């Protein structure tokens, strides 16, 4: 039976220097975005290991959004080089195993991009809402 | 076989190596054996491992070498074992100056079974070069499935896992002292089958590192097609970063360094 009251659960890993500050700006600018996202602040998006993403999916997240500084703007100079390597790899691996790679999204959002932050969260939430509950989550629940 | 024995005998006799990690027939089983100068007569029974006898000699060598870091050792290698040594050099687990290769080329049947892209070694002391298999049929089979079908396929396999850690324990590339598969913050404990992500986590660690020796799959009591997963992980790493595992010329692993520039683009939502 399809879940008509499905509310996506989304985990956000946001870098302290850019995206988290962008979220802050979206807040003080009173921009509206859905409350489905649970934010975890990290010092650099490069600290987000694929383990954390997979763990989130395992624990029932329907989507994972990673936010970091634009390439070249990293507070630690090149931390986000690793972020994109990891996430692009993980997306391809999820695709191969049929784990819906679209549920993992990486976006560069600077501290000045409050509107972009709100829009990204809005779009991502809607996308996940359309996709429905994660295949992995349903399999875990059924087991 | 004589050429191989002769080489080993000379290496040991001349003191070029302190020992040789190879195979010997014992009680009609081909088993790994550590040959030394003190028991030189054993070299007469040294063999090139037959196809179905495969052990993680690279792993045994790591143990010996860490115990005797000053000594040089010889080791029997196939194509996969040599790739493994090259990766281990890159990860600082072995010193290339202290390893002497005794190379064995695999035959066609073995190469076809493994879908091996490089079934020979840089030095061949036994056997002859055969045709490599450049494209894995098993990976293509999964790719041909739809995403939902692929998920069903993998889920079915993952749920057979009895969490014996056999894949990790036999793996010559798994040298970490602490393992994320046993980390209670990253993986649920006390569950069989384990978390669905268990094999995916291992696949991440194998990406660009798996030498495609296939011991994990042969060791797996649940017959999970691990090799297919790791072959694909390697393929992705090659496509994204141009990094080829086990090749000295391809430089350090992309996971080991940030890189001077970043050319990858984020995927559109």
């Amino acid at each position: 039976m399809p879940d008509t009251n499905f509310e996506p659960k989304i985990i956000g890993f946001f870098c302290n220097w850019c995206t988290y500050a962008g979220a802050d700006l979206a807040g003080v600018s009173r921009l509206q975005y859905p409350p489905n996202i649970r934010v975890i602040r990290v010092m650099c998006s490069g600290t987000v290991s694929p383990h954390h993403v997979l763990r989130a999916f395992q624990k029932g997240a329907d989507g994972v959004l990673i936010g970091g500084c634009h390439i070249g703007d990293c507070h630690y100079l090149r931390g986000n080089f690793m972020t994109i390597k990891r996430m692009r790899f993980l997306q391809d691996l999820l695709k191969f195993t049929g784990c819906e790679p679209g549920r993992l999204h990486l976006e560069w959002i600077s501290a000045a991009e409050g509107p972009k932050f709100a829009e990204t969260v809005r779009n991502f939430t809607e996308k996940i809402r359309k996709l429905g509950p994660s295949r992995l989550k349903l399999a875990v629940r059924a087991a | 076989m004589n050429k191989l024995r002769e080489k080993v005998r000379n290496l040991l006799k001349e003191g070029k190596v302190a020992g040789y990690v190879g195979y010997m027939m014992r009680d009609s089983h081909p088993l790994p054996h550590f040959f030394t100068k003190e028991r030189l007569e054993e070299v007469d029974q040294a063999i090139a491992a037959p196809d179905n006898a495969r052990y993680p000699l690279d792993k045994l060598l790591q143990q010996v070498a860490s115990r005797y870091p000053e000594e040089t050792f010889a080791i029997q290698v196939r194509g996969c074992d040599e790739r493994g040594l090259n990766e281990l050099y890159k990860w600082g687990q072995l010193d290339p100056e202290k390893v002497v290769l005794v190379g064995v080329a695999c035959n066609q049947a073995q190469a076809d079974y493994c879908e091996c892209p490089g079934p020979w070694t840089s030095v061949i002391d036994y056997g002859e070069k055969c045709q490599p298999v450049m494209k894995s049929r098993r990976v293509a089979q999964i790719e041909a499935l739809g995403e939902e079908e692929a998920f069903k396929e993998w889920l079915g396999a993952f749920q057979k896992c009895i969490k014996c850690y056999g894949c990790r324990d036999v793996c010559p590339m798994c040298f970490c002292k602490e393992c994320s598969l046993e980390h209670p913050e990253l993986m649920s404990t006390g569950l069989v089958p384990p978390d669905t992500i268990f094999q995916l986590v291992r696949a991440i660690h194998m990406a660009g590192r798996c030498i495609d020796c296939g011991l994990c799959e042969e060791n797996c009591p649940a017959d999970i097609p691990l090799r297919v997963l790791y072959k694909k992980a390697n393929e992705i790493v090659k496509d994204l970063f141009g990094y080829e595992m086990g090749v000295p010329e391809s430089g350090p692993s992309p996971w080991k360094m940030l890189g001077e520039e970043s050319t990858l683009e984020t995927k559109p939502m």
Side-chain angles (χ1 to χ4, degrees), chain A residues 50-51 54-55 58 78 81-82 84-85 88-89 91-93 96-98 100 105 108 120 124 127 135 139-140, chain B residues 147 151 154 180 185-186 188 195-197 201 204-205 207 232 241 254-255 257-261 265-267 269:
Chain A
H51 288 126
L54 290 174
R55 178 75 168 168
Q58 177 75 34
R78 288 180 296 161
F81 287 20
M82 195 48 99
I84 187 146
K85 280 193 208 178
R88 283 293 301 273
F89 169 78
Q91 281 166 337
D92 286 0
L93 188 73
F96 181 67
T97 46
E100 306 171 287
H105 184 66
W108 305 135
T120 305
F124 191 59
K127 179 184 174 182
R135 219 175 263 159
V140 171
Chain B
E147 253 195 54
F151 183 72
W154 285 114
S180 26
E185 303 281 327
L186 299 172
S188 306
D195 286 351
T196 318
I197 59 166
V201 167
I204 288 167
H205 285 251
K232 180 66 189 182
F241 316 121
W255 306 122
M257 40 119 197
L258 294 170
E260 289 308 313
E261 55 178 329
E265 300 270 339
T266 56
K267 279 197 175 175
M269 194 186 291

Short mmCIF file of all heavy atoms in Angstrom, two decimals, chain A residues 50-51 54-55 58 78 81-82 84-85 88-89 91-93 96-98 100 105 108 120 124 127 135 139-140, chain B residues 147 151 154 180 185-186 188 195-197 201 204-205 207 232 241 254-255 257-261 265-267 269:
data_model
loop_
_atom_site.label_atom_id
_atom_site.label_comp_id
_atom_site.label_asym_id
_atom_site.label_seq_id
_atom_site.Cartn_x
_atom_site.Cartn_y
_atom_site.Cartn_z
N PRO A 50 31.98 8.46 2.88
CA PRO A 50 30.89 7.64 2.35
C PRO A 50 30.23 6.79 3.43
O PRO A 50 29.05 6.46 3.33
CB PRO A 50 31.59 6.76 1.31
CG PRO A 50 32.77 7.54 0.88
CD PRO A 50 33.21 8.32 2.08
N HIS A 51 30.99 6.45 4.47
CA HIS A 51 30.39 5.71 5.59
C HIS A 51 29.20 6.44 6.15
O HIS A 51 28.17 5.86 6.47
CB HIS A 51 31.39 5.58 6.75
CG HIS A 51 32.51 4.65 6.48
ND1 HIS A 51 33.81 5.02 6.61
CD2 HIS A 51 32.53 3.37 6.10
CE1 HIS A 51 34.57 3.99 6.32
NE2 HIS A 51 33.83 2.99 6.00
N LEU A 54 26.21 6.27 3.77
CA LEU A 54 25.59 4.95 3.77
C LEU A 54 24.90 4.66 5.09
O LEU A 54 23.82 4.09 5.13
CB LEU A 54 26.66 3.88 3.48
CG LEU A 54 27.22 3.86 2.07
CD1 LEU A 54 28.36 2.86 1.96
CD2 LEU A 54 26.14 3.52 1.06
N ARG A 55 25.51 5.09 6.17
CA ARG A 55 24.91 4.91 7.50
C ARG A 55 23.57 5.63 7.58
O ARG A 55 22.60 5.11 8.12
CB ARG A 55 25.88 5.43 8.56
CG ARG A 55 25.38 5.35 9.99
CD ARG A 55 25.42 3.94 10.52
NE ARG A 55 25.22 3.91 11.96
CZ ARG A 55 24.97 2.79 12.64
NH1 ARG A 55 24.91 1.65 12.02
NH2 ARG A 55 24.81 2.83 13.95
N GLN A 58 21.10 3.61 5.68
CA GLN A 58 20.79 2.40 6.44
C GLN A 58 19.81 2.71 7.57
O GLN A 58 18.91 1.94 7.86
CB GLN A 58 22.09 1.82 7.02
CG GLN A 58 21.90 0.61 7.91
CD GLN A 58 21.60 -0.65 7.11
OE1 GLN A 58 22.10 -0.83 6.01
NE2 GLN A 58 20.77 -1.52 7.65
N ARG A 78 41.68 22.87 -0.15
CA ARG A 78 41.32 21.85 -1.13
C ARG A 78 40.50 20.72 -0.53
O ARG A 78 40.43 19.63 -1.10
CB ARG A 78 42.59 21.29 -1.77
CG ARG A 78 43.26 22.27 -2.71
CD ARG A 78 44.50 21.66 -3.32
NE ARG A 78 45.51 21.39 -2.30
CZ ARG A 78 46.52 20.55 -2.44
NH1 ARG A 78 46.68 19.91 -3.55
NH2 ARG A 78 47.38 20.38 -1.47
N PHE A 81 37.89 19.09 -2.72
CA PHE A 81 38.34 18.23 -3.82
C PHE A 81 38.01 16.78 -3.49
O PHE A 81 37.64 15.99 -4.34
CB PHE A 81 39.87 18.33 -4.04
CG PHE A 81 40.32 19.63 -4.67
CD1 PHE A 81 39.53 20.76 -4.65
CD2 PHE A 81 41.55 19.71 -5.30
CE1 PHE A 81 39.96 21.95 -5.24
CE2 PHE A 81 41.99 20.88 -5.90
CZ PHE A 81 41.20 22.01 -5.85
N MET A 82 38.20 16.45 -2.20
CA MET A 82 37.93 15.09 -1.77
C MET A 82 36.42 14.82 -1.73
O MET A 82 35.97 13.72 -2.06
CB MET A 82 38.55 14.84 -0.39
CG MET A 82 38.67 13.40 0.01
SD MET A 82 39.38 12.34 -1.24
CE MET A 82 41.06 12.20 -0.73
N ILE A 84 34.05 15.92 -3.66
CA ILE A 84 33.45 15.57 -4.96
C ILE A 84 33.96 14.23 -5.47
O ILE A 84 33.21 13.46 -6.06
CB ILE A 84 33.66 16.71 -5.99
CG1 ILE A 84 32.88 16.37 -7.27
CG2 ILE A 84 35.12 16.96 -6.33
CD1 ILE A 84 32.31 17.53 -7.98
N LYS A 85 35.22 13.92 -5.19
CA LYS A 85 35.71 12.59 -5.58
C LYS A 85 34.84 11.51 -4.93
O LYS A 85 34.37 10.59 -5.59
CB LYS A 85 37.14 12.39 -5.07
CG LYS A 85 38.22 13.03 -5.92
CD LYS A 85 39.55 12.47 -5.47
CE LYS A 85 40.70 13.41 -5.71
NZ LYS A 85 41.97 12.86 -5.23
N ARG A 88 30.96 11.59 -6.15
CA ARG A 88 30.77 11.11 -7.53
C ARG A 88 30.97 9.60 -7.58
O ARG A 88 30.22 8.88 -8.25
CB ARG A 88 31.73 11.81 -8.49
CG ARG A 88 31.34 13.23 -8.87
CD ARG A 88 30.07 13.26 -9.70
NE ARG A 88 30.19 12.50 -10.93
CZ ARG A 88 30.67 12.96 -12.08
NH1 ARG A 88 31.02 14.23 -12.16
NH2 ARG A 88 30.76 12.20 -13.13
N PHE A 89 31.97 9.12 -6.85
CA PHE A 89 32.20 7.68 -6.82
C PHE A 89 31.00 6.96 -6.22
O PHE A 89 30.48 5.99 -6.76
CB PHE A 89 33.46 7.34 -6.02
CG PHE A 89 33.57 5.87 -5.75
CD1 PHE A 89 34.02 5.01 -6.74
CD2 PHE A 89 33.19 5.34 -4.53
CE1 PHE A 89 34.09 3.65 -6.51
CE2 PHE A 89 33.25 3.98 -4.30
CZ PHE A 89 33.70 3.14 -5.29
N GLN A 91 27.90 7.92 -5.91
CA GLN A 91 26.71 7.96 -6.76
C GLN A 91 26.76 6.86 -7.82
O GLN A 91 25.76 6.18 -8.06
CB GLN A 91 26.59 9.33 -7.43
CG GLN A 91 26.02 10.39 -6.48
CD GLN A 91 26.20 11.81 -6.99
OE1 GLN A 91 27.07 12.08 -7.81
NE2 GLN A 91 25.37 12.71 -6.49
N ASP A 92 27.94 6.66 -8.40
CA ASP A 92 28.07 5.61 -9.42
C ASP A 92 27.92 4.22 -8.81
O ASP A 92 27.34 3.32 -9.41
CB ASP A 92 29.42 5.72 -10.15
CG ASP A 92 29.43 6.89 -11.12
OD1 ASP A 92 28.40 7.59 -11.21
OD2 ASP A 92 30.46 7.12 -11.78
N LEU A 93 28.46 4.05 -7.61
CA LEU A 93 28.36 2.75 -6.95
C LEU A 93 26.90 2.45 -6.58
O LEU A 93 26.42 1.34 -6.74
CB LEU A 93 29.24 2.71 -5.70
CG LEU A 93 29.35 1.32 -5.05
CD1 LEU A 93 30.23 0.41 -5.88
CD2 LEU A 93 29.90 1.42 -3.63
N PHE A 96 25.06 1.33 -9.65
CA PHE A 96 25.35 -0.06 -10.04
C PHE A 96 24.58 -1.05 -9.18
O PHE A 96 24.11 -2.07 -9.66
CB PHE A 96 26.86 -0.32 -9.93
CG PHE A 96 27.26 -1.71 -10.33
CD1 PHE A 96 27.14 -2.13 -11.64
CD2 PHE A 96 27.77 -2.59 -9.39
CE1 PHE A 96 27.52 -3.41 -12.02
CE2 PHE A 96 28.15 -3.88 -9.76
CZ PHE A 96 28.02 -4.28 -11.08
N THR A 97 24.44 -0.73 -7.89
CA THR A 97 23.76 -1.67 -6.99
C THR A 97 22.26 -1.38 -6.92
O THR A 97 21.57 -1.97 -6.11
CB THR A 97 24.37 -1.60 -5.58
OG1 THR A 97 24.52 -0.23 -5.20
CG2 THR A 97 25.72 -2.25 -5.53
N GLY A 98 21.80 -0.48 -7.74
CA GLY A 98 20.36 -0.20 -7.79
C GLY A 98 19.83 0.54 -6.58
O GLY A 98 18.65 0.46 -6.24
N GLU A 100 19.38 3.76 -6.08
CA GLU A 100 18.85 5.09 -6.34
C GLU A 100 19.86 6.23 -6.07
O GLU A 100 19.76 6.92 -5.07
CB GLU A 100 17.58 5.32 -5.52
CG GLU A 100 16.55 4.24 -5.74
CD GLU A 100 15.40 4.35 -4.77
OE1 GLU A 100 15.61 4.03 -3.59
OE2 GLU A 100 14.33 4.78 -5.18
N HIS A 105 22.82 13.92 -3.11
CA HIS A 105 23.10 15.09 -3.93
C HIS A 105 24.16 15.96 -3.28
O HIS A 105 24.18 16.13 -2.06
CB HIS A 105 21.82 15.89 -4.15
CG HIS A 105 22.02 17.06 -5.07
ND1 HIS A 105 22.33 16.90 -6.40
CD2 HIS A 105 21.96 18.40 -4.86
CE1 HIS A 105 22.47 18.10 -6.96
NE2 HIS A 105 22.25 19.02 -6.05
N TRP A 108 27.35 22.89 -4.24
CA TRP A 108 28.24 23.91 -3.69
C TRP A 108 27.39 25.15 -3.39
O TRP A 108 26.79 25.73 -4.29
CB TRP A 108 29.34 24.30 -4.67
CG TRP A 108 30.22 23.20 -5.22
CD1 TRP A 108 30.57 23.06 -6.51
CD2 TRP A 108 30.88 22.14 -4.51
NE1 TRP A 108 31.41 21.98 -6.67
CE2 TRP A 108 31.61 21.40 -5.46
CE3 TRP A 108 30.92 21.75 -3.17
CZ2 TRP A 108 32.37 20.28 -5.12
CZ3 TRP A 108 31.69 20.63 -2.83
CH2 TRP A 108 32.39 19.92 -3.79
N THR A 120 17.61 24.96 -3.22
CA THR A 120 18.16 23.60 -3.29
C THR A 120 17.40 22.67 -2.36
O THR A 120 17.01 21.57 -2.77
CB THR A 120 19.66 23.61 -2.91
OG1 THR A 120 20.34 24.54 -3.75
CG2 THR A 120 20.28 22.23 -3.09
N PHE A 124 15.18 19.61 -3.68
CA PHE A 124 15.60 18.26 -3.29
C PHE A 124 14.48 17.56 -2.53
O PHE A 124 14.20 16.39 -2.76
CB PHE A 124 16.88 18.34 -2.45
CG PHE A 124 17.53 17.00 -2.24
CD1 PHE A 124 17.95 16.24 -3.32
CD2 PHE A 124 17.73 16.50 -0.96
CE1 PHE A 124 18.56 15.00 -3.13
CE2 PHE A 124 18.35 15.26 -0.77
CZ PHE A 124 18.75 14.52 -1.86
N LYS A 127 11.89 16.47 -4.94
CA LYS A 127 12.37 15.33 -5.72
C LYS A 127 12.23 14.03 -4.92
O LYS A 127 11.75 13.02 -5.43
CB LYS A 127 13.84 15.56 -6.10
CG LYS A 127 14.44 14.42 -6.89
CD LYS A 127 15.90 14.65 -7.15
CE LYS A 127 16.49 13.42 -7.82
NZ LYS A 127 17.92 13.59 -8.05
N ARG A 135 14.30 2.71 -1.34
CA ARG A 135 14.30 1.26 -1.56
C ARG A 135 15.07 0.54 -0.46
O ARG A 135 14.67 -0.49 0.06
CB ARG A 135 14.99 1.02 -2.90
CG ARG A 135 14.39 -0.05 -3.75
CD ARG A 135 15.09 -0.09 -5.09
NE ARG A 135 14.40 0.65 -6.11
CZ ARG A 135 14.99 1.10 -7.23
NH1 ARG A 135 16.29 0.91 -7.41
NH2 ARG A 135 14.31 1.75 -8.13
N ALA A 139 13.74 -2.17 2.33
CA ALA A 139 14.36 -3.49 2.47
C ALA A 139 14.81 -3.73 3.90
O ALA A 139 14.66 -4.83 4.44
CB ALA A 139 15.55 -3.60 1.52
N VAL A 140 15.35 -2.69 4.54
CA VAL A 140 15.80 -2.83 5.93
C VAL A 140 14.62 -3.09 6.85
O VAL A 140 14.65 -3.96 7.71
CB VAL A 140 16.56 -1.55 6.37
CG1 VAL A 140 16.85 -1.60 7.86
CG2 VAL A 140 17.85 -1.40 5.58
N GLU B 147 17.49 -0.73 -12.78
CA GLU B 147 17.96 -0.41 -11.43
C GLU B 147 17.24 -1.23 -10.36
O GLU B 147 17.84 -1.70 -9.40
CB GLU B 147 17.77 1.08 -11.16
CG GLU B 147 19.06 1.84 -11.17
CD GLU B 147 18.90 3.20 -10.56
OE1 GLU B 147 18.42 3.29 -9.42
OE2 GLU B 147 19.23 4.20 -11.23
N PHE B 151 18.88 -3.95 -7.86
CA PHE B 151 18.76 -3.85 -6.41
C PHE B 151 18.31 -5.17 -5.81
O PHE B 151 18.87 -5.65 -4.83
CB PHE B 151 17.79 -2.73 -6.03
CG PHE B 151 17.68 -2.53 -4.54
CD1 PHE B 151 18.72 -1.95 -3.83
CD2 PHE B 151 16.54 -2.92 -3.85
CE1 PHE B 151 18.63 -1.77 -2.46
CE2 PHE B 151 16.45 -2.73 -2.47
CZ PHE B 151 17.49 -2.16 -1.79
N TRP B 154 21.19 -7.65 -5.82
CA TRP B 154 22.20 -7.40 -4.79
C TRP B 154 21.63 -7.63 -3.40
O TRP B 154 22.29 -8.19 -2.54
CB TRP B 154 22.75 -5.98 -4.90
CG TRP B 154 23.69 -5.83 -6.04
CD1 TRP B 154 23.50 -5.07 -7.17
CD2 TRP B 154 24.98 -6.45 -6.20
NE1 TRP B 154 24.58 -5.20 -8.01
CE2 TRP B 154 25.50 -6.03 -7.44
CE3 TRP B 154 25.72 -7.32 -5.42
CZ2 TRP B 154 26.73 -6.46 -7.92
CZ3 TRP B 154 26.95 -7.75 -5.89
CH2 TRP B 154 27.44 -7.31 -7.12
N SER B 180 36.50 -0.45 9.74
CA SER B 180 35.21 0.23 9.88
C SER B 180 34.04 -0.76 9.89
O SER B 180 32.96 -0.42 10.34
CB SER B 180 35.02 1.28 8.79
OG SER B 180 35.75 0.96 7.66
N GLU B 185 29.84 2.60 15.53
CA GLU B 185 29.17 3.84 15.12
C GLU B 185 28.84 3.82 13.63
O GLU B 185 28.05 4.62 13.15
CB GLU B 185 30.06 5.05 15.41
CG GLU B 185 30.49 5.18 16.86
CD GLU B 185 29.40 5.77 17.72
OE1 GLU B 185 28.63 6.60 17.21
OE2 GLU B 185 29.30 5.37 18.89
N LEU B 186 29.52 2.96 12.90
CA LEU B 186 29.32 2.94 11.45
C LEU B 186 28.54 1.72 10.97
O LEU B 186 28.00 1.72 9.88
CB LEU B 186 30.68 2.98 10.73
CG LEU B 186 31.56 4.21 10.99
CD1 LEU B 186 32.93 4.02 10.37
CD2 LEU B 186 30.91 5.46 10.42
N SER B 188 25.91 -1.55 12.41
CA SER B 188 25.18 -2.15 13.53
C SER B 188 25.89 -3.43 13.98
O SER B 188 26.43 -4.15 13.15
CB SER B 188 23.76 -2.49 13.12
OG SER B 188 23.11 -1.37 12.60
N ASP B 195 24.01 -5.15 8.40
CA ASP B 195 23.41 -4.03 7.68
C ASP B 195 23.53 -4.25 6.17
O ASP B 195 24.52 -4.80 5.69
CB ASP B 195 24.14 -2.73 8.03
CG ASP B 195 23.77 -2.26 9.44
OD1 ASP B 195 22.85 -2.84 10.03
OD2 ASP B 195 24.41 -1.31 9.93
N THR B 196 22.51 -3.77 5.47
CA THR B 196 22.52 -3.92 4.00
C THR B 196 23.74 -3.24 3.39
O THR B 196 24.22 -3.63 2.32
CB THR B 196 21.25 -3.29 3.42
OG1 THR B 196 20.14 -3.68 4.26
CG2 THR B 196 20.98 -3.77 2.02
N ILE B 197 24.24 -2.20 4.06
CA ILE B 197 25.36 -1.45 3.50
C ILE B 197 26.71 -2.12 3.75
O ILE B 197 27.72 -1.63 3.29
CB ILE B 197 25.40 -0.02 4.08
CG1 ILE B 197 25.55 -0.06 5.60
CG2 ILE B 197 24.18 0.77 3.67
CD1 ILE B 197 25.93 1.27 6.20
N VAL B 201 30.11 -0.78 2.04
CA VAL B 201 31.22 -0.16 2.77
C VAL B 201 32.54 -0.81 2.37
O VAL B 201 33.53 -0.14 2.11
CB VAL B 201 30.99 -0.26 4.30
CG1 VAL B 201 32.26 0.08 5.06
CG2 VAL B 201 29.87 0.65 4.73
N ILE B 204 33.61 0.35 -1.03
CA ILE B 204 34.23 1.67 -1.02
C ILE B 204 35.72 1.55 -0.69
O ILE B 204 36.56 2.18 -1.31
CB ILE B 204 33.53 2.58 0.02
CG1 ILE B 204 32.16 2.96 -0.49
CG2 ILE B 204 34.36 3.81 0.31
CD1 ILE B 204 31.31 3.57 0.57
N HIS B 205 36.00 0.71 0.28
CA HIS B 205 37.41 0.55 0.67
C HIS B 205 38.22 -0.16 -0.40
O HIS B 205 39.43 -0.01 -0.47
CB HIS B 205 37.49 -0.22 1.99
CG HIS B 205 37.11 0.62 3.16
ND1 HIS B 205 38.02 1.04 4.08
CD2 HIS B 205 35.94 1.16 3.52
CE1 HIS B 205 37.41 1.79 4.98
NE2 HIS B 205 36.14 1.87 4.65
N ALA B 207 37.70 0.19 -3.66
CA ALA B 207 37.75 0.96 -4.91
C ALA B 207 39.15 1.45 -5.19
O ALA B 207 39.76 2.13 -4.36
CB ALA B 207 36.78 2.13 -4.82
N LYS B 232 33.53 -3.52 -10.49
CA LYS B 232 32.84 -2.30 -10.89
C LYS B 232 33.41 -1.09 -10.15
O LYS B 232 33.61 -0.03 -10.73
CB LYS B 232 31.34 -2.45 -10.62
CG LYS B 232 30.52 -1.23 -10.99
CD LYS B 232 30.52 -0.98 -12.50
CE LYS B 232 29.88 0.34 -12.83
NZ LYS B 232 29.83 0.58 -14.29
N PHE B 241 38.73 9.01 -12.28
CA PHE B 241 40.02 9.59 -11.91
C PHE B 241 41.16 9.14 -12.81
O PHE B 241 42.30 9.56 -12.63
CB PHE B 241 40.38 9.26 -10.46
CG PHE B 241 39.23 9.41 -9.50
CD1 PHE B 241 38.80 8.33 -8.75
CD2 PHE B 241 38.58 10.62 -9.36
CE1 PHE B 241 37.73 8.46 -7.86
CE2 PHE B 241 37.52 10.75 -8.49
CZ PHE B 241 37.10 9.67 -7.73
N PRO B 254 43.94 8.03 -5.86
CA PRO B 254 43.18 9.28 -5.72
C PRO B 254 42.62 9.48 -4.32
O PRO B 254 42.28 10.61 -3.94
CB PRO B 254 42.05 9.13 -6.75
CG PRO B 254 41.96 7.67 -7.04
CD PRO B 254 43.33 7.13 -6.86
N TRP B 255 42.52 8.40 -3.56
CA TRP B 255 42.01 8.54 -2.19
C TRP B 255 43.11 8.97 -1.22
O TRP B 255 42.86 9.25 -0.07
CB TRP B 255 41.42 7.21 -1.71
CG TRP B 255 40.40 6.64 -2.63
CD1 TRP B 255 40.44 5.42 -3.23
CD2 TRP B 255 39.17 7.25 -3.05
NE1 TRP B 255 39.34 5.25 -4.01
CE2 TRP B 255 38.53 6.33 -3.92
CE3 TRP B 255 38.54 8.47 -2.79
CZ2 TRP B 255 37.31 6.59 -4.53
CZ3 TRP B 255 37.33 8.73 -3.40
CH2 TRP B 255 36.72 7.81 -4.25
N MET B 257 45.39 11.42 -1.87
CA MET B 257 45.78 12.83 -1.97
C MET B 257 44.60 13.65 -2.49
O MET B 257 43.71 13.12 -3.13
CB MET B 257 46.98 12.96 -2.91
CG MET B 257 46.88 12.05 -4.12
SD MET B 257 46.86 12.94 -5.64
CE MET B 257 46.25 11.75 -6.78
N LEU B 258 44.63 14.93 -2.19
CA LEU B 258 43.53 15.80 -2.62
C LEU B 258 43.65 16.10 -4.11
O LEU B 258 42.66 16.22 -4.81
CB LEU B 258 43.56 17.11 -1.83
CG LEU B 258 43.28 16.96 -0.34
CD1 LEU B 258 43.58 18.27 0.38
CD2 LEU B 258 41.84 16.58 -0.10
N GLY B 259 44.87 16.24 -4.60
CA GLY B 259 45.10 16.59 -5.99
C GLY B 259 45.33 18.09 -6.12
O GLY B 259 44.92 18.87 -5.27
N GLU B 260 46.03 18.45 -7.19
CA GLU B 260 46.38 19.86 -7.41
C GLU B 260 45.20 20.67 -7.94
O GLU B 260 45.10 21.86 -7.75
CB GLU B 260 47.57 19.96 -8.37
CG GLU B 260 48.88 19.50 -7.77
CD GLU B 260 49.20 20.17 -6.44
OE1 GLU B 260 49.06 21.40 -6.35
OE2 GLU B 260 49.57 19.45 -5.48
N GLU B 261 44.35 19.99 -8.68
CA GLU B 261 43.16 20.69 -9.19
C GLU B 261 41.99 19.73 -9.19
O GLU B 261 42.16 18.53 -9.09
CB GLU B 261 43.42 21.22 -10.60
CG GLU B 261 43.86 20.14 -11.55
CD GLU B 261 44.07 20.68 -12.97
OE1 GLU B 261 43.37 21.63 -13.34
OE2 GLU B 261 44.92 20.14 -13.67
N GLU B 265 32.72 17.71 -11.99
CA GLU B 265 31.57 18.60 -11.82
C GLU B 265 30.54 17.89 -10.95
O GLU B 265 30.41 16.67 -11.01
CB GLU B 265 30.93 18.88 -13.18
CG GLU B 265 31.86 19.55 -14.18
CD GLU B 265 31.78 21.06 -14.10
OE1 GLU B 265 30.77 21.57 -13.58
OE2 GLU B 265 32.74 21.72 -14.52
N THR B 266 29.79 18.67 -10.17
CA THR B 266 28.70 18.05 -9.42
C THR B 266 27.61 17.61 -10.39
O THR B 266 27.42 18.23 -11.44
CB THR B 266 28.09 19.03 -8.40
OG1 THR B 266 27.67 20.20 -9.11
CG2 THR B 266 29.07 19.41 -7.34
N LYS B 267 26.92 16.55 -10.02
CA LYS B 267 25.83 16.07 -10.88
C LYS B 267 24.62 16.97 -10.69
O LYS B 267 24.33 17.38 -9.57
CB LYS B 267 25.47 14.63 -10.51
CG LYS B 267 26.39 13.62 -11.13
CD LYS B 267 25.78 12.24 -11.09
CE LYS B 267 26.66 11.25 -11.82
NZ LYS B 267 26.19 9.90 -11.71
N MET B 269 20.80 18.00 -10.10
CA MET B 269 19.75 17.34 -9.33
C MET B 269 18.72 16.81 -10.29
O MET B 269 18.22 15.91 -10.46
CB MET B 269 19.11 18.35 -8.38
CG MET B 269 18.25 17.70 -7.32
SD MET B 269 17.38 18.92 -6.37
CE MET B 269 18.66 19.70 -5.45
#
